[in-house]
Amino acid sequence: MAVAVAVTTAATGLAGTAFAGPSTGVERSAASATSTATVVVEAARTAAFAHASATGVSHGDELHAQDVLLDPEGARHVRFVRTHNGLPVLGGDLVVHLNRQLAYTGVTRAADHAVKAATTSAKLTAGQAAAKAAQAAKGDASSAQLVLDARDGAATLAYQVTVTDKGSASTVVVDAVTGKVRSNTPVADEFLSPKLIDTLRERGETIDPATGTAAASAGLLGSGASGATSYPATAHGTGKTLFVGNVGLTTTATSRGHYQLKDPSRYGTETRDAKGKYTESFGAGTKFTNTTNVWGNGKTSSRASAAADAQYGVTKTLDFYKKTFNRKGIANNSKAAHAMVHWGSKVANAFWDPTCNCMLYGDGDGQMFKKPLVVLDVTGHELTHGVVEATAKLEPTYVDSDGNQYGEPGSLNESLADIFGSNVEFYAKNTKDTPDYLIGEKLGLQQKFLRRLDHPSLDKLEGTIDYWSPDTYYTEVHAGSGVSSHAYYLLAEGSGKKTINGVNYNSPTYNGSTVKGIGRTKATAIFYRALTRYMVSTTDFHGARVATLKAAKDLYGATSTEYKTVDKAWAAVNVTAANTPAARH
């Protein structure tokens, strides 16, 4: 199992509209940071075994560090995945928390039971498991790998198989003893669910966002790498996008008068043309190059127009995470983010694909979906799935035969993507895409948005819900996302009527309470810290409540207004300590 250790020093106090935080101190050398990370990881690993009754770590377990977070106030957090007797453990992830002196302070764990299988002898061969997986996911199976599946209250010996078909992939888990398919989960996070697409077809609706160029802001345009004496060099070009007008794009001058749509100032982040192929290899995409450093014409007649939207959205998302949380790239490893437009043939979707660590955008099917889904909040939403993949790895609990996903961890994943996708709009402040708490408002839908955070149930297309109930476990993840999205909005803006940037909101509460918001800056800081420090793959809405309370305590104190408002916001969507389910799914 390949693992990477990343060191992050994150600001703990975020204030003001720019999310400015206090200085995190003097930058250390890479060698110093690596040395510090090694010491912290070893301390956390030792603490996990020393506190086995709390952490659930047992004999035969090995902990592999995936992330190390060093908070300025002194806390340290190490996220581990686990193997047991050499087998990867699904649902075995945990975060060990330490203080400045590296003493154990607590744990957040996905599995609340010991990871030990009743049997270690498989009755199915790897080939038999691969065949069952291929049949279940309707594709070509890779080799089957033995794992322990600890996601449903017990540890079961199983095979994990990746199944691919026409550019899509699924991870299928097959019981190694009974042959039962335990889960069949799409690898990529699609923006539009199969259920929503069916609903749109039944209603005869189309997704046909309005396009149009706009005058560029002063200082954003230009071409060339002024004064360049060697190549490649940083250049400044113009994107003539489909949805956000004319925008400035940082590009690469490859030689005098020749440019590539690749941003050297953001780790080499790049958009390429898939040319209709169903490829999950970014290297197979065709580079966008030209001699003008002007990309697109604001219309779909230019293949570069969608690329300009994608590149703009990706770079704005990277900037939001960097300026807000000092997060260096999607996986916080200072590596490029990638996008491919014109992906596949008549693909009516956009999604984050962890196989290639890139955004993939179809062109639409030409009938119900008229244009590529390269709008800004779609990109912010989907790249946030990448951030979740690099941190808590929230997963759906189960997937139906049509590919629709269910379960609270999956709903929480969709909610966080909406929350931070909305924040990307607020960060970008683009006059052609007014910042708001609406998702997909530029898609041209009859209800004027796809989802909204203030009053989620106004979305009739997906049947999004406002409040938690025991039935939420059985709710499709986009519909279920309303619970935590609503809690976030109430935390940020409060209940009742409000007009922001010309958009009218009116947020209700389950218990009739009045919630006074603490502001988007603080609410976003709390949710981000909760995701990166206190959420794991199985975190549900009650777990998210605990995670955000811990985050608020870290940032503002247990007696603070912010902490108390977090509690009120969750109660206002019917998530309380008192109604926490006894049997957690």
Side-chain angles (χ1 to χ4, degrees):
M1 179 177 293
V3 294
V5 177
V7 179
T8 302
T9 49
T12 57
L14 300 173
T17 55
F19 290 84
S23 170
T24 56
V26 178
E27 292 289 337
R28 291 169 297 179
S29 68
S32 172
T34 301
S35 175
T36 299
T38 301
V39 171
V40 174
V41 166
E42 286 308 311
R45 184 180 286 113
T46 300
F49 282 94
H51 298 82
S53 60
T55 63
V57 175
S58 61
H59 180 71
D61 284 353
E62 289 187 10
L63 300 181
H64 306 265
Q66 288 202 314
D67 201 9
V68 181
L69 295 170
L70 311 178
D71 296 338
E73 79 278 6
R76 279 82 175 97
H77 315 266
V78 182
R79 187 179 295 276
F80 291 107
V81 294
R82 182 186 336 199
T83 60
H84 183 77
N85 292 333
L87 298 180
V89 180
L90 309 182
D93 50 306
L94 65 157
V95 183
V96 176
H97 310 292
L98 309 171
N99 63 17
R100 187 186 298 275
Q101 290 73 38
L102 303 185
Y104 172 84
T105 59
V107 65
T108 305
R109 50 192 279 201
D112 59 0
H113 53 86
V115 176
K116 186 176 181 180
T119 178
T120 56
S121 299
K123 291 188 176 180
L124 268 70
T125 65
Q128 290 172 325
K132 284 184 175 291
Q135 183 179 18
K138 300 179 177 62
D140 299 320
S142 64
S143 58
Q145 177 188 21
L146 274 175
V147 297
L148 287 179
D149 187 357
R151 295 174 296 176
D152 66 348
T156 302
L157 187 67
Y159 285 101
Q160 186 176 53
V161 187
T162 298
V163 179
T164 57
D165 176 53
K166 209 174 182 180
S168 63
S170 297
T171 300
V172 182
V173 178
V174 179
D175 193 302
V177 176
T178 67
K180 177 183 176 182
V181 174
R182 296 178 61 82
S183 64
N184 175 9
T185 308
V187 171
D189 289 288
E190 297 180 334
F191 185 70
L192 304 174
S193 69
K195 187 175 181 180
L196 172 62
I197 292 172
D198 288 343
T199 299
L200 290 170
R201 286 202 178 99
E202 290 171 4
R203 293 183 175 217
E205 280 205 49
T206 60
I207 287 184
D208 189 12
T211 60
T213 57
S217 299
L220 285 180
L221 301 187
S223 63
S226 67
T229 56
S230 62
Y231 297 94
T234 300
H236 301 286
T238 303
K240 293 191 173 183
T241 71
L242 295 174
F243 302 119
V244 289
N246 294 352
V247 297
L249 295 174
T250 302
T251 61
T252 298
T254 54
S255 63
R256 183 174 296 277
H258 293 85
Y259 307 97
Q260 183 179 345
L261 192 55
K262 181 177 183 179
D263 189 338
S265 68
R266 295 174 177 88
Y267 325 113
T269 286
E270 182 182 359
T271 298
R272 292 187 178 183
D273 190 343
K275 292 287 185 74
K277 293 181 290 189
Y278 293 94
T279 179
E280 291 182 278
S281 169
F282 184 71
T286 301
K287 298 175 182 178
F288 278 98
T289 60
N290 68 27
T291 57
T292 64
N293 213 2
V294 176
W295 308 89
N297 62 3
K299 302 174 184 177
T300 55
S301 58
S302 170
R303 299 184 72 82
S305 297
D309 277 285
Q311 185 76 357
Y312 174 80
V314 172
T315 54
K316 285 299 179 185
T317 302
L318 290 176
D319 288 353
F320 161 71
Y321 278 106
K322 177 65 166 61
K323 299 292 176 61
T324 308
F325 306 116
N326 198 31
R327 187 175 187 86
K328 300 179 177 69
I330 298 305
N332 200 28
N333 58 3
S334 298
K335 291 187 177 181
H338 292 143
M340 283 196 285
V341 293
H342 310 303
W343 188 85
S345 176
K346 295 185 177 180
V347 173
N349 224 322
F351 42 94
W352 165 258
D353 189 336
T355 301
C356 69
N357 287 310
C358 59
M359 281 293 305
L360 303 176
Y361 300 92
D363 283 333
D365 59 8
Q367 298 176 357
M368 187 168 68
F369 302 89
K370 304 290 188 180
K371 297 184 182 74
L373 294 183
V374 287
V375 296
L376 181 59
D377 60 2
V378 171
T379 296
H381 172 105
E382 291 301 324
L383 284 176
T384 297
H385 281 312
V387 174
V388 174
E389 171 72 17
T391 54
K393 290 184 174 64
L394 293 160
E395 297 179 348
T397 310
Y398 64 100
V399 181
D400 69 17
S401 58
D402 294 322
N404 295 296
Q405 303 179 33
Y406 297 82
E408 291 186 23
S411 293
L412 182 59
N413 191 345
E414 291 299 332
S415 170
L416 291 166
D418 280 354
I419 288 167
F420 292 112
S422 171
N423 270 276
V424 169
E425 277 191 5
F426 278 102
Y427 174 83
K429 297 180 182 177
N430 187 290
T431 57
K432 286 291 177 179
D433 194 348
T434 304
D436 52 43
Y437 290 103
L438 310 177
I439 303 299
E441 72 278 6
K442 294 183 71 68
L443 297 180
L445 296 167
Q446 291 178 14
Q447 70 179 18
K448 307 301 183 185
F449 55 86
L450 179 56
R451 290 183 296 277
R452 60 189 297 154
L453 308 188
D454 68 314
H455 194 166
S457 65
L458 292 179
D459 162 29
K460 304 303 180 184
L461 287 171
E462 294 177 301
T464 306
I465 58 177
D466 291 326
Y467 312 117
W468 180 85
S469 75
D471 289 338
T472 301
Y473 172 75
Y474 305 101
T475 304
E476 191 274 330
V477 293
H478 295 86
S481 70
V483 175
S484 46
S485 293
H486 193 189
Y488 167 83
Y489 177 87
L490 289 166
L491 178 63
E493 302 291 352
S495 57
K497 294 182 179 180
K498 197 165 192 175
T499 301
I500 304 169
N501 292 340
V503 179
N504 296 323
Y505 303 96
N506 191 0
S507 192
T509 59
Y510 177 84
N511 52 7
S513 64
T514 298
V515 179
K516 183 179 179 181
I518 61 172
R520 182 175 52 85
T521 299
K522 290 180 178 180
T524 305
I526 288 169
F527 269 69
Y528 179 79
R529 176 171 282 247
L531 166 65
T532 54
R533 275 80 165 168
Y534 300 112
M535 291 184 187
V536 289
S537 60
T538 58
T539 299
D540 57 15
F541 289 131
H542 286 81
R545 171 186 173 273
V546 172
T548 49
L549 283 170
K550 288 180 177 179
K553 180 181 177 182
D554 288 350
L555 293 169
Y556 307 109
T559 61
S560 65
T561 297
E562 292 83 359
Y563 181 92
K564 295 173 183 176
T565 307
V566 169
D567 196 36
K568 290 178 182 177
W570 283 108
V573 298
N574 197 34
V575 176
T576 66
N579 66 13
T580 302
R584 305 296 286 275
H585 291 290

